[in-house]
Amino acid sequence: MAFMSVSFIMKEVNMGWAFRGFHINVANFMFACLYLHICRGLYYGSFRLYKVWVSGIVLFLLVMLTAFTGYVLPWGQMSYWAAQVISSMVTAIPVVGGDVAMWVWGGYAVGNITLKRLFSVHFLLPFIILAVFFLHLNFLHESGSGNPLGVDTDCCLVRFHSFFTVKDMVGVMGGCALLCFMIAFYPYMLVDGQNFVMCDYMDTPKSIHPEWYFLFAYAILRSIPNKIGGILLMLSSIMILFVIPELWVGKMESLGNYVFCQWLFWFWVANFLILTFVGSQGVDEPFARAGELSTAFYFAFFPLLGVVQRYEDFVIRSISKVSNGEKYDWMDSVLGWKEEELDDEEDFGPTRGGFGDKLMSMEEANNLMMLEPYCWGGERRFLKEN
């Protein structure tokens, strides 16, 4: 019934094919944006804002669950067998695994009752996602956002509108243009061909695999021959994101300040793409071996990142001591100024550190802050005049 309903919408309902194509491709674009957002947070150290980071990962998990339930609903050949494989994972739970599986299925196997339950979950989850989304924004509003330089920006804030809104609008319009192009010309480019065939309970597909945004986790699952070990490793591939803030040992705020860490990060991104490709292939050589090696590097990246940070901090500290010949804090030698060069009178002006007339005057700085997009407003002065 579900498969025939989807087929009716596509063939008989006016613009039904466009609505389904929009629904499918928006989900794919959303995951692409989520992965880019997470990678950006890793690169620039945004996970140091712990509550913002954790709420974002919870949001990511909810979106993944919503996408999986939506993938099953068309009840095509690949949808049914993907539901069969994924839902049977709960049987690996000791003692109560079988009972939990029967509760999820609504019977002794995946069937129509399972489909109804998944539809209910798929309908309710967006409301939970919306609530977590506003919680995520609230945490972001309280703590503020990071920046590529990883410096404290409380002293030089800019208004969200129109500085950020205009910039973000350009990206949104570009994404919408690409989305409309895909819906008009390639609406089902990212849909598995077997999902256009009604599910057959007696015919198992030669290769069962999820959508592209789950392929990296599926490759990790297959890399371990043991069922329980593979499931735990697959779950760990997401859960490890919760502990990243505890693994950060660097003195500076983001990977952008560490040369070797940048290389390591981009190797990890390439490894993620390799896992995605391996997950779409069969369990044959050389894909099986590539999946094992890529899985090992995926998890080794996180502790290895701390080791490389420690090494780079040590190198920077050593270079600063040798080049300056003085034993003061290495961060000041790289990014700051010597305290003995300051005048007796405390000075928070732009000429701090004996730079003289190389920087703008106090009056020029205050006039600049009155302009858009800074717009500090009124006659308030945030810099101390001499």
Side-chain angles (χ1 to χ4, degrees), residues 304-367:
L304 189 59
L305 189 64
V307 174
V308 176
Q309 283 177 335
R310 286 284 190 178
Y311 173 75
E312 290 202 58
D313 286 339
F314 172 76
V315 171
I316 294 175
R317 186 184 301 111
S318 301
I319 293 175
S320 64
K321 288 182 179 180
V322 171
S323 60
N324 293 281
E326 300 180 11
K327 295 183 179 180
Y328 52 83
D329 186 66
W330 69 275
M331 285 292 291
D332 286 339
S333 67
V334 176
L335 303 176
W337 46 78
K338 299 180 182 180
E339 295 296 332
E340 57 267 21
E341 292 182 357
L342 298 176
D343 297 328
D344 294 335
E345 181 181 356
E346 188 179 16
D347 178 18
F348 295 99
T351 60
R352 180 179 182 178
F355 290 101
D357 298 331
K358 294 181 180 179
L359 301 180
M360 66 178 65
S361 64
M362 191 68 61
E363 182 180 359
E364 291 173 333
N366 282 318
N367 291 336

Side-chain angles (χ1 to χ4, degrees), residues 264-299:
L264 188 63
F265 171 80
W266 289 114
F267 278 127
W268 183 76
V269 171
N271 182 76
F272 181 89
L273 298 177
I274 292 173
L275 280 173
T276 300
F277 174 74
V278 169
S280 65
Q281 305 301 311
V283 191
D284 305 313
E285 294 296 341
F287 304 115
R289 183 62 176 171
E292 295 173 359
L293 296 176
S294 298
T295 299
F297 182 74
Y298 180 91
F299 288 99

Side-chain angles (χ1 to χ4, degrees), residues 157-209:
L157 299 175
V158 296
R159 294 176 59 183
F160 185 81
H161 179 76
S162 61
F163 185 75
F164 286 102
T165 51
V166 174
K167 178 177 69 69
D168 291 343
M169 189 61 65
V170 174
V172 170
M173 293 178 64
C176 289
L178 182 58
L179 179 63
C180 292
F181 175 81
M182 288 191 64
I183 294 173
F185 296 98
Y186 305 99
Y188 308 117
M189 182 178 69
L190 300 175
V191 180
D192 191 285
Q194 294 194 55
N195 235 23
F196 291 100
V197 179
M198 184 181 297
C199 69
D200 187 348
Y201 301 159
M202 306 301 294
D203 182 20
T204 306
K206 182 179 179 180
S207 176
I208 302 175
H209 55 266

